[in-house]
């Protein structure tokens, strides 16, 4: 096998598949792998030629051509990639690829060389075959140039981003082989644990076999025997039939002792029955589903005794993670319980932030019997350090005895990067726009900034001010588990983060003046966020930390992202219901007032098309039905490969769908693609429909700098039957600043106006002719 190229290794991973299967997925003629990669990377015009022998008939080779998406520095350019087999024998394959981009600056001076090596992977305990893939690269300069350093730096960044997406698609097609050493180590550790079970009689003897209980039973038996042997005496004093009062002080003392002993027997028996009810546990219950799998081995505890007392507890543990709960068995009358029990949580879509561990006494309700408490924060602990850990306990137990609990914790993801893409897709539905996966470099820098574990990834970030005595300019970061803030003002750095699980409330603070944008107040739960207290504006009357952020470039974007993550991550079912109800009321109010549903409210909308058509609204809505009529119109308008999903009900009378299509050369000389999210709803007080649309562009020059928003108002004219008025508004939401803003705005408005005019004219012509033919047939 050839050695790795000197530029560096881009992929070094093992997959659960034979080397031949992996080679077939990557390089067979009928594989759709490279098409999926090109779609994710935003390339267009992808074409693959069949494999053929080279001129020397010594090896197979083929050519791939595609148009790379425009970047911040380089416009969309054509690339040619030549792939050639260096080796294909047995279970070993090596493919050498040369990528040429002559249209980029200094493109004739260099070529990118990539080497794919497939070899047999490490063995698995499941005896499945594995294949190991290594991808290395280098820049081959065919001519000398002064731009060498800049070219190498840009190529390195581009290759890293491109092959992070390559690995993402590959992990969706083939499962990544987990490190067998870690799995076998986990299985060995768990297999060595054997839960200690005691027989019922042994528990009864240990629980009730003390002097007080035995003495109380003996006295009770003595009294019963006395009552059975005694004969009724003559009544004296104030006695009457059925009542035999004590006749001396000694008898009064004996009666008091009997009452106290009887009460003691009742209390001990009640305590034992309460503990016996909690005897069962969730030990050995296997998890189900795919996602984040959490396994906890509860080994033992030590020093768990009552403060200032020698009384022993009947101990059991309760684990809570992502609102799911597992309970151990009860260990009777002990300060050093031995459990050796294993608990598995059902696979979770979201990575857990923490585990809450509570030690209870089985005598009484949970809220009155909490003995000790601790927690494990996955964002502050290395998973390797949690495989064998002793955790100190806080609470009612005696701290002088150093109470602690012994755990072994394992957390792994069974779905690889698929769980990340599913999360972003779910986020996109909540927010109303597609959320893209950030590059590997961006995610790595984010994790390094806040010292986060490798499974954390960045969702979005916004520039804003942190309001304190002096406003602090910085950046707010959002990930599935944390909100982080970072500021660097002349070398003075401010950095903190807190968990979504700790957020108790989020409030919108209106601007103090009539100008400006609102600010966000994030309030944490009481007792949480102590590590981030230096960033808090203060505390409220409940003692909760408050953080106020203001001066967002786009307040609506930030608010929409924050509320979506908070609703998905930390709200209880009751809170989620309240939030959804509030949002529904807000949307209804916006509908009545003609407001916006999911588009940016701060984007200025201008009219680009207005007309009165000789068709009714119900007929015109066939343009948005997803049927043959819509496909026909879009094809005539220059929208190729048009696809549309079914309308789905998202909230009462609001429906939503997604569409995508490619631009014909008549629409865009650069080609490119468009994806849209549309929502439709009928007007409350008028006979008509409103359709709102958010459009994002790919493969278009500067297309990542903005998104388009359109609003279609279609209402029947009451005075004229079979007639409707159409008004279309368009706005541009700028995601990045550019000097070409005025020029882009002018071109977008002009092209959109012309396209919509032709589209609705064609629709009116087709619908009226169809109606005329129907009238003739009826006649």
């Amino acid at each position: 096998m050839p050695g790795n190229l000197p530029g560096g290794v881009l992929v070094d991973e093992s997959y659960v598949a034979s080397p031949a299967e992996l080679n077939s997925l990557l390089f067979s003629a009928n594989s759709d792998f490279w098409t999926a990669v090109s779609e994710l990377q935003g390339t267009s015009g992808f074409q693959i030629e069949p494999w053929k022998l080279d001129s020397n008939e010594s090896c197979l080779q083929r050519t791939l051509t595609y148009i790379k998406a425009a970047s911040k520095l380089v416009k969309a350019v054509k690339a040619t990639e030549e792939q050639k087999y260096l080796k294909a024998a047995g279970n070993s394959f090596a493919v050498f690829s040369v990528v040429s981009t002559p249209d980029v600056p200094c493109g004739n001076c260099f070529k990118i060389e990539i080497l794919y090596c497939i070899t047999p992977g490490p063995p698995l305990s499941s005896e499945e075959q594995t294949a190991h893939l290594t991808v290395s690269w280098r820049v081959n300069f065919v001519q000398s140039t002064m731009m060498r350093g800049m070219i190498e730096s840009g190529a390195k960044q581009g290759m890293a981003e491109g092959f992070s997406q390559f690995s993402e698609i590959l992990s969706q097609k083939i499962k990544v082989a987990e490190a067998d050493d870690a799995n076998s180590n986990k299985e060995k550790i768990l297999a060595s644990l054997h839960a200690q079970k005691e027989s019922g009689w042994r528990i009864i003897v240990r629980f009730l076999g003390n002097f007080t209980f035995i003495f109380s039973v003996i006295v009770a038996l003595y009294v019963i025997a006395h009552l059975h042997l005694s004969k009724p005496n003559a009544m004296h004093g104030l006695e009457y039939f059925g009542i035999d009062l004590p006749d001396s002080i000694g008898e009064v003392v004996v009666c008091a002792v009997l009452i106290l002993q009887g009460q003691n027997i009742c209390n001990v028996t009640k305590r034992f029955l309460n503990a016996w009810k909690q005897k069962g546990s969730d030990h050995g219950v296997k998890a189900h589903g795919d996602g984040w799998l959490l396994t906890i081995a509860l080994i033992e505890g030590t020093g768990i005794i009552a403060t200032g007392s020698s009384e022993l507890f009947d101990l059991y543990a309760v684990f809570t993670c992502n609102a799911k709960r597992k309970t151990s068995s009860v260990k009777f009358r002990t300060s050093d319980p031995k459990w050796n029990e294993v608990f598995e949580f059902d696979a979770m879509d979201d990575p857990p932030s923490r585990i809450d561990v509570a030690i209870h006494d089985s005598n009484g309700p949970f809220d009155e019997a909490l003995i000790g408490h601790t927690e494990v924060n996955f964002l502050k602990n290395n998973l390797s350090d949690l495989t064998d850990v002793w955790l100190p306990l806080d609470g009612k137990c005696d701290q002088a005895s150093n109470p602690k609990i012994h755990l072994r914790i394992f957390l792994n993801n069974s779905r690889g990067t698929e769980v990340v893409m599913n999360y972003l897709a779910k986020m996109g539905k909540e927010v109303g726009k597609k959320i893209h996966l950030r590059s590997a470099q961006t995610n790595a820098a984010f994790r390094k900034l806040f010292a986060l574990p490798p499974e954390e990834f960045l969702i979005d970030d916004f520039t804003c001010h942190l309001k304190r005595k002096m406003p602090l300019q910085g950046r707010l970061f959002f990930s599935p588990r944390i909100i982080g803030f970072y500021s660097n003002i002349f070398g003075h750095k401010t950095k903190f983060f807190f968990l979504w699980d700790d957020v108790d409330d989020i409030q919108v603070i209106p601007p103090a003046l009539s100008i400006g944008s609102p600010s966000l107040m994030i309030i944490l739960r009481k007792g949480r966020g102590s590590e981030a207290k230096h960033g808090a504006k203060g505390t409220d009357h409940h003692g909760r930390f408050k953080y106020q952020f203001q001066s967002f470039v786009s307040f609506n974007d930030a608010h929409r992202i924050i509320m979506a993550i908070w609703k998905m991550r930390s709200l209880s079912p009751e809170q989620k219901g309240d939030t959804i109800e509030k949002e529904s009321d807000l949307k209804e109010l916006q509908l009545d007032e003609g407001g916006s549903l999911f588009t940016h409210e701060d984007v200025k909308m201008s009219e680009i098309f207005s007309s009165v058509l000789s068709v009714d609204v119900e007929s015109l809505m066939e343009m948005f039905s997803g049927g043959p009529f819509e496909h026909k119109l879009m094809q005539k308008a220059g929208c190729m490969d048009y696809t549309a999903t079914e309308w789905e009900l998202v909230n009462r009378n609001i429906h939503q769908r997604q569409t995508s299509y490619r631009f014909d050369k008549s629409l865009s000389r650069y080609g490119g693609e468009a994806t849209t999210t549309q929502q439709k709803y009928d007007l409350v007080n008028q006979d008509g429909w409103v359709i709102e649309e958010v459009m994002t562009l790919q493969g278009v020059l500067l297309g990542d700098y903005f998104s388009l928003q359109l609003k279609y108002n279609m209402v029947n004219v009451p005075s004229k039957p079979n007639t409707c008025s159409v008004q279309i508004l368009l706005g541009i939401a700028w995601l990045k600043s550019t000097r070409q803003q005025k020029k882009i705005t002018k071109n977008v408005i002009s092209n959109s106006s012309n396209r919509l005019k032709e589209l609705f004219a064609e629709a009116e012509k087709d619908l009226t002719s169809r109606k005329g033919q129907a009238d003739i047939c009826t006649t």
Side-chain angles (χ1 to χ4, degrees), residues 75 87 97 170 261-262 283 340 373 558:
K75 67 178 183 179
K87 182 175 183 178
S97 177
L170 186 55
Q261 293 291 48
H283 165 63
N340 289 331
H373 176 267

Side-chain angles (χ1 to χ4, degrees), residues 529-755:
S530 58
E531 301 86 354
K533 63 181 179 181
H534 62 279
K537 185 176 183 293
T539 57
D540 63 1
H541 60 282
H542 296 296
R544 302 177 300 176
F545 287 119
K546 301 186 300 181
Y547 301 83
Q548 187 167 348
F549 303 97
Q550 59 184 14
S551 301
F552 291 94
V553 175
S554 177
F555 174 80
N556 291 323
D557 276 353
H559 181 254
R560 191 181 296 117
I561 287 284
I562 288 175
M563 296 306 294
I565 302 177
W566 187 43
K567 186 168 67 173
M568 289 172 54
R569 181 76 207 183
S570 60
L571 294 184
S572 64
E574 294 79 10
Q575 290 174 314
K576 286 183 180 180
D578 295 341
T579 303
I580 293 172
E581 186 175 350
K582 290 179 182 178
E583 290 178 353
S584 300
D585 295 340
L586 178 61
K587 287 186 177 182
E588 278 193 353
L589 179 62
Q590 290 176 334
L591 289 177
D592 294 339
E593 298 176 353
S596 176
L597 272 176
F598 74 118
T599 53
H600 300 265
E601 297 174 2
D602 52 354
V603 173
K604 183 179 179 181
M605 306 288 286
S606 58
E607 181 181 298
I608 61 170
F609 178 76
S610 179
S611 178
V612 177
L613 307 180
S614 56
V615 293
D616 59 275
V617 169
E618 294 303 324
S619 300
L620 192 62
M621 284 298 292
E622 191 177 350
M623 291 178 60
F624 304 95
S625 64
F629 181 61
E630 181 180 5
H631 284 73
K632 175 185 174 182
L633 288 178
M634 297 304 291
Q635 186 174 4
K636 287 185 178 181
C639 302
M640 313 303 295
D641 299 334
Y642 182 80
T643 60
T645 62
E646 296 290 334
W647 288 103
E648 295 181 359
L649 184 65
V650 294
N651 194 337
R652 298 188 182 180
N653 67 327
I654 304 168
H655 295 75
Q656 181 171 304
R657 71 168 183 173
Q658 283 77 37
T659 69
S660 63
Y661 51 86
R662 291 190 302 106
F663 292 120
D664 191 6
K665 295 296 182 180
S666 60
L667 289 180
S668 173
R669 60 179 178 177
Y670 299 105
E673 299 178 359
T675 58
T676 73
T677 300
Q678 295 178 341
Q679 286 189 349
K680 70 173 183 178
Y681 54 92
D682 54 348
L683 295 172
V684 178
N685 299 322
Q686 301 181 46
D687 185 11
W689 286 84
V690 173
I691 293 180
E692 296 187 13
E693 178 180 296
V694 175
M695 179 188 299
T696 58
L697 306 176
Q698 299 89 30
V700 177
L701 186 62
L702 299 179
D704 57 338
Y705 278 64
F706 62 94
S707 63
L708 302 182
Q709 300 178 10
L710 292 98
K711 187 172 184 178
Y712 302 78
N713 296 304
M714 295 170 286
V715 183
N716 282 325
V717 179
S719 59
K720 297 181 180 179
N722 298 324
T723 304
C724 69
S725 64
V726 178
Q727 181 193 38
I728 302 178
L729 306 177
L730 182 141
I732 302 179
W734 291 99
L735 310 177
K736 304 176 186 178
S737 60
T738 174
R739 295 180 181 179
Q740 307 295 326
Q741 185 168 329
K742 290 184 178 179
K743 184 177 180 181
I744 292 174
T745 302
K746 181 180 178 181
N747 290 338
V748 167
I749 292 177
S750 175
N751 294 336
S752 299
S753 178
N754 293 334
R755 185 172 69 91

